Amino acid sequence: MPVYNKLVRDKIPKIIEAAGKTFTTRTLDEGGYRRELRQKAFEELEEYMNAKDDAAALEELADLLEIVHALAECHGADIEKVEAIRAEKAEKRGGFREKIFLIEVHDE
């Protein structure tokens, strides 16, 4: 019997049940939920880093985005608020489109 001990998407229990299997779950408190979302972000980022092609990379980016949505809610905001902050930072500091790789900065 596999033991997972990890946060899963909301419909996973129904999918397991539809496969004729039984399972055990519990509902996390807010602190545990936030901790597990952060852990899940690392898991999904690692899967993205190991993606073998663009399709797999996009699949993992979608998973990361789902985590970002949930984390925004944990912090009392929504994705629109996160996007507004991202846009403001991009306006002030730029994005990453120019592919600039900083080597070093010299103190004169």
Side-chain angles (χ1 to χ4, degrees):
M1 170 178 61
V3 176
Y4 293 92
N5 286 324
K6 68 178 190 175
L7 183 66
V8 295
R9 289 175 175 264
D10 298 337
K11 294 184 180 179
I12 295 300
K14 289 192 185 306
I15 293 169
I16 294 169
E17 189 174 65
K21 298 178 181 179
T22 60
F23 55 90
T24 305
T25 63
R26 68 182 171 92
T27 302
L28 299 169
D29 62 19
E30 287 303 312
Y33 177 56
R34 188 178 294 192
R35 183 176 58 254
E36 291 300 321
L37 275 173
R38 288 177 177 199
Q39 183 62 40
K40 192 73 168 176
F42 281 118
E43 176 187 324
E44 297 300 343
L45 181 58
E46 184 175 8
E47 290 175 7
Y48 167 75
M49 296 297 291
N50 292 322
K52 301 295 184 205
D53 56 36
D54 288 341
L58 291 172
E59 188 81 20
E60 298 309 329
L61 286 173
D63 289 343
L64 277 165
L65 190 55
E66 190 68 34
I67 299 296
V68 170
H69 279 255
L71 282 166
E73 284 185 28
C74 280
H75 293 287
D78 56 23
I79 199 65
E80 288 78 18
K81 175 68 173 174
V82 174
E83 174 56 25
I85 295 167
R86 185 212 59 80
E88 182 180 328
K89 289 181 84 168
E91 179 67 28
K92 288 179 182 174
R93 300 175 62 106
F96 296 96
R97 294 176 194 251
E98 294 181 25
K99 305 173 187 153
I100 298 167
F101 185 80
L102 181 64
I103 307 291
E104 59 187 0
V105 175
H106 303 278
D107 290 332
E108 305 299 330

